[in-house]
Amino acid sequence: REEGHRDNPNAHEQIIFKRNKEVTANDKKVTWDPTGPIQTEEELTTKPSQPLPGKVHGVCYKSNLHSPRPLLFVPDDTYYYSENCEGLWVCVSKECDEETLQRACHLIRTFVPPEQRKMWGDFVSPTWAKDPGPMRLIVLDDRTNQQAGDIPELRDDSRGRNQTSCPFVFTSREDFYGGIGGGQSCCEGQLTLHEMTHGSDMVIRQRKDPYFHEEVGKLWSRHRDKFRYADSTSRRAITILNSGQHLVDVDETYSFCYAAVNRDEFLAECHCIAQGLHVKSKDYTRCNLSLPGEMKEAMPDVYQMLERQFSLKKF
């Protein structure tokens, strides 16, 4: 993923993906690779619902994980206002306020079903992550320009406020008060829902079903071209990293919505559409995919997948 892109409220329309982008070792850890060996059930954290044709995300392998915490996780109360939402911890910097905590908890309980919230609390990070878990939501203050590395669990030079870095789902206070950038191009809660979906994605694959990795990858491959639209004002060079890590050149007279970039962003963006949080997005409107009903009609299999995993609003 391109970390921190959502600090720019117009990122959907301005982000440019360079040709021949180097694939780093870290990218390879999290990219769908259909050519890998088939795993045994003993290697995986839980049994897949269907046979796996290849490798899945590193969080699914027992040998990759931290040892469980000797004591239950408790947020640092000198830094955070916090609440355990039935397994899913919401931690809000005290540079924000307790009202932000209540708004964040309301969003979590609205969109994340109870059984999944419990799984967030059971999540264990891979050993490359600095913190062993659980997966949790961190809200930082945009007014004082707080950064990821400011939190007591890290205390380093990590930058960004709008990103997911296992086991932390970072979001910004302003998202609960009108939306990023004053809500001109983003709905309230859109950033948080997008980043939260990345956290849910890892949680589902580790604690519920490793096959979810494959299922979403297939849906992305099937539907990504629906997120292309003619763009006569911009001849951008866009490259898509596909499931086999090949680079696919696309017609430069077209632009793609962020949902087309890769499997992970496809899931997060489709979830935002299904919850009615992309109605202000000009690029999705150009694809006739900014409304829940439009997505349900164009991609019923995607909508059904989201219904199984999340609490979708009724429109």
Side-chain angles (χ1 to χ4, degrees), residues 45-47 59-60 62 65 68 115-116 118-125 135 199-210:
T45 53
T46 190
K47 183 178 179 180
V59 300
C60 300
K62 295 176 184 176
L65 305 183
E115 60 272 18
Q116 190 191 126
K118 181 181 183 302
M119 289 189 289
W120 278 59
D122 295 332
F123 181 87
V124 181
S125 300
M135 190 73 76
S200 292
D201 191 14
M202 287 187 275
V203 167
I204 292 167
R205 286 179 284 184
Q206 182 184 101
R207 310 308 304 178
K208 183 178 182 181
D209 187 5

Short mmCIF file of all heavy atoms in Angstrom, two decimals, residues 45-47 59-60 62 65 68 115-116 118-125 135 199-210:
data_model
loop_
_atom_site.label_atom_id
_atom_site.label_comp_id
_atom_site.label_asym_id
_atom_site.label_seq_id
_atom_site.Cartn_x
_atom_site.Cartn_y
_atom_site.Cartn_z
N THR A 45 -3.22 -20.73 11.28
CA THR A 45 -3.82 -20.37 12.56
C THR A 45 -5.22 -20.91 12.72
O THR A 45 -5.70 -21.10 13.83
CB THR A 45 -3.85 -18.84 12.69
OG1 THR A 45 -4.49 -18.28 11.54
CG2 THR A 45 -2.44 -18.28 12.81
N THR A 46 -5.91 -21.14 11.61
CA THR A 46 -7.24 -21.72 11.66
C THR A 46 -7.52 -22.42 10.33
O THR A 46 -6.84 -22.16 9.34
CB THR A 46 -8.32 -20.64 11.94
OG1 THR A 46 -9.57 -21.26 12.21
CG2 THR A 46 -8.47 -19.70 10.75
N LYS A 47 -8.48 -23.29 10.31
CA LYS A 47 -8.76 -24.09 9.12
C LYS A 47 -9.44 -23.25 8.05
O LYS A 47 -10.43 -22.58 8.31
CB LYS A 47 -9.65 -25.27 9.50
CG LYS A 47 -9.95 -26.22 8.33
CD LYS A 47 -10.81 -27.40 8.79
CE LYS A 47 -11.12 -28.32 7.63
NZ LYS A 47 -11.96 -29.48 8.06
N VAL A 59 0.06 -13.24 8.39
CA VAL A 59 -0.61 -13.35 9.69
C VAL A 59 -1.30 -14.69 9.88
O VAL A 59 -1.75 -15.02 10.98
CB VAL A 59 -1.62 -12.21 9.90
CG1 VAL A 59 -0.95 -10.86 9.85
CG2 VAL A 59 -2.78 -12.28 8.91
N CYS A 60 -1.40 -15.48 8.81
CA CYS A 60 -2.12 -16.76 8.87
C CYS A 60 -1.24 -17.93 9.31
O CYS A 60 -1.75 -19.03 9.50
CB CYS A 60 -2.72 -17.09 7.50
SG CYS A 60 -3.89 -15.87 6.88
N LYS A 62 1.24 -19.83 11.95
CA LYS A 62 1.59 -19.88 13.37
C LYS A 62 3.06 -19.53 13.60
O LYS A 62 3.40 -18.83 14.56
CB LYS A 62 1.32 -21.28 13.92
CG LYS A 62 -0.14 -21.69 13.93
CD LYS A 62 -0.29 -23.14 14.39
CE LYS A 62 -1.73 -23.62 14.32
NZ LYS A 62 -1.85 -25.05 14.68
N LEU A 65 4.19 -15.75 14.12
CA LEU A 65 3.56 -14.89 15.11
C LEU A 65 4.39 -14.69 16.39
O LEU A 65 5.18 -15.55 16.77
CB LEU A 65 2.18 -15.45 15.48
CG LEU A 65 1.22 -15.71 14.32
CD1 LEU A 65 -0.12 -16.19 14.86
CD2 LEU A 65 1.06 -14.48 13.44
N PRO A 68 2.08 -15.19 22.60
CA PRO A 68 0.96 -14.45 23.22
C PRO A 68 1.44 -13.61 24.40
O PRO A 68 2.41 -13.95 25.09
CB PRO A 68 0.01 -15.56 23.68
CG PRO A 68 0.36 -16.74 22.83
CD PRO A 68 1.84 -16.63 22.57
N GLU A 115 -19.13 -10.65 16.82
CA GLU A 115 -18.23 -11.80 16.71
C GLU A 115 -16.87 -11.40 16.13
O GLU A 115 -15.84 -11.96 16.50
CB GLU A 115 -18.85 -12.91 15.86
CG GLU A 115 -19.20 -12.55 14.43
CD GLU A 115 -20.59 -11.95 14.26
OE1 GLU A 115 -21.18 -11.49 15.27
OE2 GLU A 115 -21.09 -11.96 13.12
N GLN A 116 -16.86 -10.41 15.24
CA GLN A 116 -15.58 -9.94 14.70
C GLN A 116 -14.84 -9.07 15.71
O GLN A 116 -13.60 -9.13 15.81
CB GLN A 116 -15.77 -9.17 13.39
CG GLN A 116 -14.43 -8.90 12.69
CD GLN A 116 -14.53 -7.92 11.55
OE1 GLN A 116 -13.81 -6.92 11.53
NE2 GLN A 116 -15.42 -8.17 10.60
N LYS A 118 -14.71 -9.46 18.83
CA LYS A 118 -14.01 -10.38 19.74
C LYS A 118 -12.72 -10.89 19.11
O LYS A 118 -11.69 -11.03 19.78
CB LYS A 118 -14.91 -11.56 20.10
CG LYS A 118 -14.27 -12.56 21.05
CD LYS A 118 -15.17 -13.73 21.37
CE LYS A 118 -14.51 -14.67 22.39
NZ LYS A 118 -13.21 -15.19 21.91
N MET A 119 -12.76 -11.15 17.80
CA MET A 119 -11.57 -11.66 17.11
C MET A 119 -10.45 -10.62 17.08
O MET A 119 -9.27 -10.98 17.09
CB MET A 119 -11.93 -12.12 15.69
CG MET A 119 -12.76 -13.39 15.65
SD MET A 119 -12.96 -14.07 13.99
CE MET A 119 -14.05 -12.85 13.25
N TRP A 120 -10.81 -9.33 17.02
CA TRP A 120 -9.77 -8.29 17.09
C TRP A 120 -8.98 -8.44 18.39
O TRP A 120 -7.77 -8.28 18.41
CB TRP A 120 -10.41 -6.90 17.03
CG TRP A 120 -10.75 -6.41 15.67
CD1 TRP A 120 -11.58 -7.00 14.75
CD2 TRP A 120 -10.29 -5.20 15.05
NE1 TRP A 120 -11.66 -6.24 13.61
CE2 TRP A 120 -10.89 -5.11 13.77
CE3 TRP A 120 -9.45 -4.16 15.47
CZ2 TRP A 120 -10.65 -4.05 12.91
CZ3 TRP A 120 -9.22 -3.09 14.61
CH2 TRP A 120 -9.81 -3.04 13.34
N GLY A 121 -9.67 -8.75 19.47
CA GLY A 121 -9.01 -8.91 20.76
C GLY A 121 -8.13 -10.14 20.84
O GLY A 121 -7.21 -10.19 21.67
N ASP A 122 -8.38 -11.13 19.98
CA ASP A 122 -7.59 -12.36 19.98
C ASP A 122 -6.44 -12.32 18.98
O ASP A 122 -5.61 -13.24 18.95
CB ASP A 122 -8.50 -13.55 19.62
CG ASP A 122 -9.57 -13.80 20.68
OD1 ASP A 122 -9.33 -13.47 21.85
OD2 ASP A 122 -10.65 -14.32 20.32
N PHE A 123 -6.36 -11.27 18.18
CA PHE A 123 -5.36 -11.20 17.11
C PHE A 123 -3.94 -11.12 17.69
O PHE A 123 -3.69 -10.41 18.65
CB PHE A 123 -5.63 -9.97 16.23
CG PHE A 123 -4.67 -9.82 15.09
CD1 PHE A 123 -4.90 -10.45 13.88
CD2 PHE A 123 -3.53 -9.04 15.23
CE1 PHE A 123 -4.01 -10.30 12.82
CE2 PHE A 123 -2.63 -8.89 14.18
CZ PHE A 123 -2.87 -9.53 12.97
N VAL A 124 -3.02 -11.86 17.04
CA VAL A 124 -1.61 -11.85 17.42
C VAL A 124 -0.79 -11.38 16.22
O VAL A 124 -0.94 -11.91 15.11
CB VAL A 124 -1.13 -13.24 17.87
CG1 VAL A 124 0.35 -13.19 18.27
CG2 VAL A 124 -1.98 -13.75 19.02
N SER A 125 0.08 -10.42 16.43
CA SER A 125 0.87 -9.85 15.33
C SER A 125 1.97 -10.80 14.88
O SER A 125 2.50 -11.59 15.66
CB SER A 125 1.52 -8.54 15.76
OG SER A 125 0.58 -7.59 16.14
N MET A 135 -5.08 -6.41 17.69
CA MET A 135 -5.41 -5.39 16.72
C MET A 135 -6.29 -4.35 17.41
O MET A 135 -7.21 -4.70 18.16
CB MET A 135 -6.16 -6.00 15.53
CG MET A 135 -6.34 -5.06 14.35
SD MET A 135 -4.82 -4.76 13.44
CE MET A 135 -4.67 -6.31 12.52
N GLY A 199 -7.60 -3.53 8.96
CA GLY A 199 -7.43 -4.30 10.18
C GLY A 199 -8.32 -5.53 10.19
O GLY A 199 -7.88 -6.64 10.53
N SER A 200 -9.58 -5.34 9.83
CA SER A 200 -10.52 -6.47 9.78
C SER A 200 -10.03 -7.55 8.82
O SER A 200 -10.18 -8.75 9.09
CB SER A 200 -11.90 -5.99 9.33
OG SER A 200 -12.51 -5.17 10.31
N ASP A 201 -9.46 -7.13 7.71
CA ASP A 201 -8.96 -8.07 6.70
C ASP A 201 -7.93 -9.02 7.31
O ASP A 201 -7.99 -10.24 7.12
CB ASP A 201 -8.35 -7.26 5.55
CG ASP A 201 -8.04 -8.09 4.32
OD1 ASP A 201 -8.52 -9.24 4.22
OD2 ASP A 201 -7.32 -7.57 3.44
N MET A 202 -6.98 -8.47 8.07
CA MET A 202 -5.98 -9.32 8.72
C MET A 202 -6.60 -10.19 9.81
O MET A 202 -6.25 -11.36 9.96
CB MET A 202 -4.85 -8.45 9.27
CG MET A 202 -3.94 -7.88 8.19
SD MET A 202 -2.49 -7.01 8.83
CE MET A 202 -3.19 -5.37 9.10
N VAL A 203 -7.52 -9.61 10.57
CA VAL A 203 -8.18 -10.36 11.64
C VAL A 203 -8.97 -11.53 11.09
O VAL A 203 -8.88 -12.66 11.60
CB VAL A 203 -9.10 -9.42 12.46
CG1 VAL A 203 -10.02 -10.22 13.37
CG2 VAL A 203 -8.27 -8.43 13.27
N ILE A 204 -9.75 -11.31 10.04
CA ILE A 204 -10.57 -12.37 9.45
C ILE A 204 -9.70 -13.50 8.94
O ILE A 204 -9.98 -14.69 9.17
CB ILE A 204 -11.46 -11.81 8.33
CG1 ILE A 204 -12.53 -10.88 8.90
CG2 ILE A 204 -12.12 -12.93 7.52
CD1 ILE A 204 -13.25 -10.03 7.86
N ARG A 205 -8.61 -13.14 8.25
CA ARG A 205 -7.74 -14.18 7.69
C ARG A 205 -7.04 -14.99 8.78
O ARG A 205 -6.83 -16.19 8.62
CB ARG A 205 -6.71 -13.54 6.75
CG ARG A 205 -7.32 -13.11 5.42
CD ARG A 205 -6.31 -12.45 4.49
NE ARG A 205 -6.01 -11.08 4.89
CZ ARG A 205 -5.23 -10.27 4.19
NH1 ARG A 205 -4.67 -10.69 3.06
NH2 ARG A 205 -5.01 -9.03 4.60
N GLN A 206 -6.68 -14.34 9.89
CA GLN A 206 -5.99 -15.08 10.95
C GLN A 206 -6.93 -15.86 11.85
O GLN A 206 -6.69 -17.01 12.19
CB GLN A 206 -5.17 -14.13 11.81
CG GLN A 206 -4.39 -14.85 12.92
CD GLN A 206 -3.65 -13.90 13.83
OE1 GLN A 206 -4.08 -13.59 14.93
NE2 GLN A 206 -2.50 -13.42 13.36
N ARG A 207 -8.01 -15.23 12.27
CA ARG A 207 -8.85 -15.81 13.32
C ARG A 207 -10.08 -16.58 12.81
O ARG A 207 -10.66 -17.36 13.55
CB ARG A 207 -9.34 -14.71 14.27
CG ARG A 207 -8.28 -13.77 14.79
CD ARG A 207 -7.09 -14.47 15.42
NE ARG A 207 -7.45 -15.39 16.49
CZ ARG A 207 -6.58 -16.13 17.16
NH1 ARG A 207 -5.29 -16.06 16.83
NH2 ARG A 207 -6.97 -16.92 18.11
N LYS A 208 -10.46 -16.35 11.54
CA LYS A 208 -11.70 -16.94 11.04
C LYS A 208 -11.49 -17.84 9.83
O LYS A 208 -11.92 -18.99 9.84
CB LYS A 208 -12.71 -15.84 10.69
CG LYS A 208 -14.08 -16.34 10.24
CD LYS A 208 -15.01 -15.17 9.98
CE LYS A 208 -16.40 -15.64 9.56
NZ LYS A 208 -17.31 -14.47 9.28
N ASP A 209 -10.84 -17.32 8.78
CA ASP A 209 -10.77 -18.08 7.54
C ASP A 209 -9.64 -17.57 6.64
O ASP A 209 -9.78 -16.54 5.99
CB ASP A 209 -12.10 -17.99 6.78
CG ASP A 209 -12.15 -18.89 5.56
OD1 ASP A 209 -11.19 -19.66 5.34
OD2 ASP A 209 -13.16 -18.83 4.82
N PRO A 210 -8.52 -18.30 6.55
CA PRO A 210 -7.43 -17.87 5.65
C PRO A 210 -7.87 -17.79 4.19
O PRO A 210 -7.26 -17.05 3.41
CB PRO A 210 -6.37 -18.96 5.84
CG PRO A 210 -6.65 -19.54 7.19
CD PRO A 210 -8.15 -19.47 7.34
#
